[in-house]
Amino acid sequence: SSCDPALRPIIRRRARSLPASTERRKRAAVQCQVPGCQSRMNRVRFADALGLDLTEVKVFQTGEDPSIPLHVLYRLSINSDLWYSSSDLEFTMQCLVPDFQQPADCMDFSSRLQEQQVCLERVTSSDLGLSGTIQVHNVAFEKRVSVRYTFNQWKSLHEVCAHWHSSIPEKNGQDQVDVFTFFLPVPPFLLQLCSVVQFAARYQVNGQEYWDNNRGKNYSLTCRTHPLKMPRECEESWIHFI
């Protein structure tokens, strides 16, 4: 009753003249073992988008020494100094160091939070920038916490928003505290000796604005040289350590 053509099962058959891939590999292996075999071998060629070779063969004549770049020689000299040193390996790196004690480690942290409604808890530095946490009193659900910072003594300023992280009860057990996290991107060119980054925390809630500016002095971090020591047994992995 249907006008559709009858369906036929599709059967794929391998041509008898074409052996399987495993059989071809076996035959090629047998042929290559025959002395004077002229069978065609596969070759691999690396080329770029224009079809040009990515490799270049350099043939050195007798008495001709290869030219070694200066930066390679410099790294080799560093490796030799590290190899023959007998004491612990010492390195120096430049990083932003806080000019203040971490507020969370101070005895008056709770009183400062009670007085200001907002207080910096802790800040750490890395190659990418500054990361830190801020505590605020949970005055209302809708709130905004941000960090205002500068690289040039407040000639120009930037501001980033902090993000809610968690809620914890205060030590007195009555009030609730919200913890916010923030990140300040620091350009690499500012990681120079004596460079200074200053910032202050800002808390906006119920139409009010509260600040934590380290009691009028602002929080500042100065780029200083920080020494690093590595045990002698780790000399082979000193690059990964840095």
Side-chain angles (χ1 to χ4, degrees), residues 78-98:
I78 293 179
N79 290 337
S80 62
D81 294 340
L82 294 175
W83 179 262
Y84 290 106
S85 61
S86 57
S87 59
D88 292 343
L89 305 179
E90 296 184 0
F91 306 94
T92 58
M93 62 178 300
Q94 297 177 359
C95 60
L96 293 170
V97 180

Side-chain angles (χ1 to χ4, degrees), residues 9-20:
I10 300 177
I11 302 177
R12 296 183 180 180
R13 297 180 179 178
R14 185 184 301 275
R16 295 182 179 179
S17 59
L18 181 63

Side-chain angles (χ1 to χ4, degrees), residues 5-240:
L7 299 179
R8 296 180 179 179
I10 300 177
I11 302 177
R12 296 183 180 180
R13 297 180 179 178
R14 185 184 301 275
R16 295 182 179 179
S17 59
L18 181 63
S21 58
T22 55
E23 297 177 359
R24 292 198 302 268
R25 286 196 296 267
K26 292 180 180 179
R27 292 182 182 181
V30 173
Q31 293 177 2
C32 294
Q33 294 176 359
V34 178
C37 176
Q38 302 295 331
S39 61
R40 184 178 179 181
M41 302 295 293
N42 293 332
R43 300 181 60 185
V44 179
R45 177 174 173 268
F46 298 93
D48 57 8
L50 299 179
L52 303 177
D53 291 335
L54 295 178
T55 59
E56 181 180 357
V57 179
K58 173 64 177 178
V59 180
F60 293 95
Q61 303 296 332
T62 303
E64 181 183 359
D65 296 332
S67 177
I68 303 177
L70 293 179
H71 68 276
V72 176
L73 294 175
Y74 176 72
R75 292 185 178 181
L76 290 176
S77 63
I78 293 179
N79 290 337
S80 62
D81 294 340
L82 294 175
W83 179 262
Y84 290 106
S85 61
S86 57
S87 59
D88 292 343
L89 305 179
E90 296 184 0
F91 306 94
T92 58
M93 62 178 300
Q94 297 177 359
C95 60
L96 293 170
V97 180
D99 299 325
F100 54 90
Q101 185 181 3
Q102 297 288 352
D105 299 333
C106 299
M107 298 297 295
D108 61 343
F109 178 76
S110 299
S111 60
R112 291 178 59 180
L113 180 60
Q114 188 70 29
E115 175 186 353
Q116 303 171 163
Q117 302 295 318
V118 54
C119 189
L120 174 71
E121 182 180 17
R122 195 175 299 275
V123 64
T124 58
S125 62
S126 65
D127 295 340
L128 301 178
L130 303 177
S131 303
T133 54
I134 301 173
Q135 290 191 12
V136 300
H137 273 292
N138 188 18
V139 179
F141 179 78
E142 295 291 338
K143 59 177 68 71
R144 184 177 186 272
V145 180
S146 59
V147 177
R148 184 172 294 182
Y149 63 102
T150 180
F151 300 132
N152 51 13
Q153 302 294 331
W154 301 107
K155 295 179 182 178
S156 62
L157 55 89
H158 311 272
E159 190 165 346
V160 296
C161 292
H163 302 281
W164 181 87
H165 180 265
S166 60
S167 297
I168 57 176
E170 203 176 7
K171 292 184 178 180
N172 57 17
Q174 299 178 358
D175 301 328
Q176 189 179 23
V177 175
D178 287 339
V179 180
F180 284 77
T181 61
F182 66 92
F183 175 75
L184 306 181
V186 178
F189 64 84
L190 284 176
L191 293 179
Q192 301 176 358
L193 292 180
C194 301
S195 298
V196 179
V197 178
Q198 295 177 295
F199 70 92
R202 183 185 183 187
Y203 179 33
Q204 296 171 292
V205 61
N206 282 347
Q208 301 292 327
E209 186 175 88
Y210 305 95
W211 286 86
D212 177 22
N213 55 6
N214 195 17
R215 300 194 182 279
K217 296 180 295 184
N218 293 320
Y219 293 101
S220 63
L221 294 93
T222 305
C223 185
R224 295 187 176 91
T225 301
H226 184 69
L228 293 177
K229 290 185 178 181
M230 184 179 66
R232 176 65 182 175
E233 56 270 15
C234 301
E235 60 184 357
E236 296 181 357
S237 60
W238 68 277
I239 295 180
H240 302 283

